[in-house]
Amino acid sequence: MPADNTVEGLDRLARETVDHRFKALPPDAEGLTVGELAAQRRNLFTGGFTTPVLALSAESLEHNLALLESYAERHGLAFAPHGKTSMSPQLFARQLERGAWGITAAVPHQLRVYRAHGIRRVFLANELVDPVALRWLAGELERDPDFRFICYVDSVRGVELMDEALRGAARPVDVVVELGAGEGARTGARSDADCTAVAGAVAAATNLRLVGVAGYEGEVPDATPERVRDWLHRLVSLAVTLDRDGRFAATDEIVVSAGGSAWFDTVAEVFAELPELSRPVLRLLRSGAYVSHDDGHYRQLTPFNRVPEEGALEPAFRLWAQVVSRPTGQQAFANAGKRDAAYDLDLPEAQVVRDARDGSVRPAAGITVTGLSDQHAWLRTDEDADLEVGDWVGMGLSHPCTSFDKWQLIPVAEADGTVTDYIRTFF
C-alpha cells in the first residue's frame, strides 16, 4: 500500500463502547469496548447475540478482497472501489492494503467520512455544486498537500457554479468530464458536443483543472455486452479527442474511469485498447459491491459468470432471524424485516435453518421469503418443511449497497461462528 494512502483512526473505532446503539450485540457486553468484545471471540450462535443479526463471512470477505486485487493487477487497472457500498473505514483500510489507488464517493457526507479517517485519494462520482461542500473541500486541499481529489463535471452551468464557489481557493479542483450512458440514463453529458462544451468551460475556469473523462456503464439502457462495449468505446474516443485538442495540458496524468460491479470485464477489455495519449493514463476501475457480493442482483450479473476462468466472488452476508410465529402449515414469520434486510431489488433468500433444540444446521428446504414488513419476514412453507418457533433462519441478501446501511456494527464470523471482528459503518 502506498505510504501516503493509509486509513487513520481505526484504533478509535476499537475503543468505541458497546451499548444499545448497536443492534444484535450481546446485552452482557454493554460497557466493553469493541476491541475488548472482539478479543473475546464469542460465537455468533451461543455467545449472547440477539436476533435478528447480520454477519459477514470472514473467509468470503478475505477471498473477495484478494480476488479483485489480483484482477486489477492482471488487467493493468488502478482501483478506487466505491465506498458507498459499505461506508466502513475498516474495509477501506483492507482495500487500500490490497493495492487500491483510493476510494470512490458519491456525496459530500461520504467525502467527510473519508477525510475524517485520513484517506488521501478520493474520486467523487458526481458533480459537486454545493457551495458549502466546495468551500470545505477547498480547505481540505489547502490543509493537506497530499490530498488528491477528482470529481465529475457534466454541464457548463455546473462548472460555473463550482468555479464561483471555489473563488480564492489555494489549489484547483481536478475534474473529469462525465459522459452519459445514453438517452434516459442517469447523469452525464449526452453528446460529444456537450462534452466538448463542458471541457471548454473548465478551460475557462480559474479554479478547476481538467484531468480526464469518466462515466458509469451500469446505466447503459438495456445493457448487453455489445451496448456496454460501444459506450466504453465512446468514452475512450472522448479521451482521445480532448487530448488531441490540448485539453489535458495542465495535468501530468490523464484519468479514464468507469466500472461498476456488473460490467468490469468489459471495462478491462476496452481500457486495454486505449491508444497512447500525450500523458500517462490512469485506467481507474470503481467497482465496490464485490466486497460482500450478494445472493441476488450481483450474483446474476457478476462478470465472473461470463469469464469463469478469472475466478468467482462469494456472497459474504448472511442475515439470521428467529422464527417467532408458525400460525399454519404453510406460513411462518421471522423477526427480521425492512429495517434489517435489503429489499430494494430482491427479497432475502432463505438458505439454512439452525435448529433451536440442538444447534444443528440444515438446508431451508421448502421455505421461501415472500415479503417483508417493518420487523417481520413472511415465510411461505411447504407442508413438510421442517421449521418450528425458535429456530434461526439464515438468509442471503441481494444488493449489498442497501444492506450495510441498516447496520452500524456488523460481526465478522468465521465458518464455525467465531466472531473475530466488528465492522463499523457510517451512513
Side-chain angles (χ1 to χ4, degrees):
M1 176 176 58
D4 63 346
N5 209 9
T6 57
V7 176
E8 302 168 359
L10 299 185
D11 56 336
R12 293 197 304 271
L13 300 182
R15 292 196 301 270
E16 195 162 11
T17 301
V18 174
D19 57 28
H20 62 276
R21 292 171 298 160
F22 305 120
K23 295 192 292 187
L25 298 192
D28 67 349
E30 179 135 358
L32 296 176
T33 66
V34 174
E36 288 169 343
L37 180 57
Q40 292 182 356
R41 295 178 65 85
R42 296 197 185 195
N43 188 278
L44 187 70
F45 308 109
T46 61
F49 292 85
T50 62
T51 56
V53 57
L54 180 68
L56 277 165
S57 162
E59 294 86 357
S60 294
L61 188 61
E62 178 62 24
H63 169 84
N64 293 344
L65 288 165
L67 184 61
L68 260 291
E69 176 191 20
S70 62
Y71 184 89
E73 288 179 351
R74 191 159 57 248
H75 291 278
L77 299 169
F79 190 31
H82 214 313
K84 70 176 176 60
T85 302
S86 70
M87 286 304 294
S88 169
Q90 293 146 290
L91 293 181
F92 299 161
R94 294 181 67 173
Q95 290 169 317
L96 294 169
E97 287 167 359
R98 291 285 188 174
W101 172 91
I103 307 293
T104 295
V107 293
H109 160 69
Q110 294 168 3
L111 177 58
R112 290 188 63 198
V113 172
Y114 298 3
R115 290 300 294 155
H117 291 87
I119 294 174
R120 288 183 168 172
R121 293 183 188 146
V122 178
F123 185 103
L124 194 142
N126 227 336
E127 187 170 68
L128 182 59
V129 294
D130 183 326
V132 174
L134 285 165
R135 287 193 290 271
W136 172 84
L137 171 64
E140 288 294 292
L141 289 167
E142 182 173 10
R143 181 180 64 82
D144 183 357
D146 293 322
F147 176 31
R148 176 86 191 275
F149 174 84
I150 304 170
C151 74
Y152 284 171
V153 287
D154 77 348
S155 66
V156 171
R157 174 61 174 158
V159 169
E160 293 170 347
L161 289 171
M162 292 181 72
D163 196 39
E164 180 180 349
L166 291 165
R167 186 177 304 153
R171 292 170 56 191
V173 168
D174 287 349
V175 297
V176 291
V177 175
E178 182 195 4
L179 175 66
E183 292 304 319
R186 204 161 60 189
T187 57
R190 293 298 193 254
S191 68
D192 292 346
D194 291 338
C195 292
T196 299
V198 173
V202 174
T206 303
N207 301 295
L208 302 177
R209 180 175 69 157
L210 188 65
V211 299
V213 300
Y216 175 47
E217 75 291 340
E219 283 292 313
V220 170
D222 301 315
T224 63
E226 292 73 27
R227 287 176 176 164
V228 170
R229 191 175 295 109
D230 287 345
W231 178 82
L232 286 163
H233 281 301
R234 279 191 64 202
L235 183 68
V236 168
S237 178
L238 176 63
V240 171
T241 298
L242 294 178
D243 187 44
R244 182 197 61 206
D245 294 344
R247 293 304 190 188
F248 301 131
T251 182
D252 296 328
E253 177 182 67
I254 299 171
V255 178
V256 181
S257 179
S261 294
W263 298 100
F264 56 75
D265 57 330
T266 312
V267 173
E269 173 190 334
V270 175
F271 279 12
E273 303 168 358
L274 260 165
E276 185 174 346
L277 301 180
S278 64
R279 307 283 191 277
V281 176
L282 182 74
R283 297 166 170 83
L284 191 62
L285 184 70
R286 306 193 309 272
S287 311
Y290 81 99
V291 175
S292 62
H293 196 44
D294 68 6
D295 280 291
H297 181 67
Y298 287 115
R299 180 178 64 185
Q300 305 300 323
L301 294 176
T302 175
F304 295 124
N305 289 342
R306 296 186 291 270
V307 196
E309 61 269 23
E310 293 273 19
L313 292 168
E314 298 176 357
F317 270 136
R318 180 162 281 174
L319 176 66
W320 291 94
Q322 193 167 34
V323 178
V324 294
S325 180
R326 187 79 160 100
T328 74
Q330 296 81 38
Q331 195 175 37
F333 292 87
N335 64 346
K338 293 178 180 178
R339 301 291 182 264
D340 313 298
Y343 62 94
D344 58 318
L345 294 180
D346 301 292
L347 289 170
E349 174 186 279
Q351 296 176 330
V352 295
V353 175
R354 188 174 191 276
D355 197 290
R357 294 161 299 188
D358 60 13
S360 61
V361 177
R362 58 184 177 270
I367 303 171
T368 304
V369 180
T370 60
L372 294 175
S373 299
D374 284 353
Q375 302 291 176
H376 289 93
W378 294 59
L379 306 179
R380 184 180 68 241
T381 61
D382 295 347
E383 285 287 357
D384 58 350
D386 186 5
L387 189 67
E388 296 183 7
V389 170
D391 290 344
W392 286 29
V393 179
M395 294 177 280
L397 300 179
S398 175
H399 203 196
C401 297
T402 53
S403 296
F404 278 100
D405 64 347
K406 302 178 188 305
W407 296 81
Q408 291 185 304
L409 200 59
I410 304 172
V412 178
E414 295 178 340
D416 66 357
T418 301
V419 176
T420 60
D421 199 2
Y422 295 83
I423 296 299
R424 185 69 159 94
T425 66
F426 292 87
F427 282 95

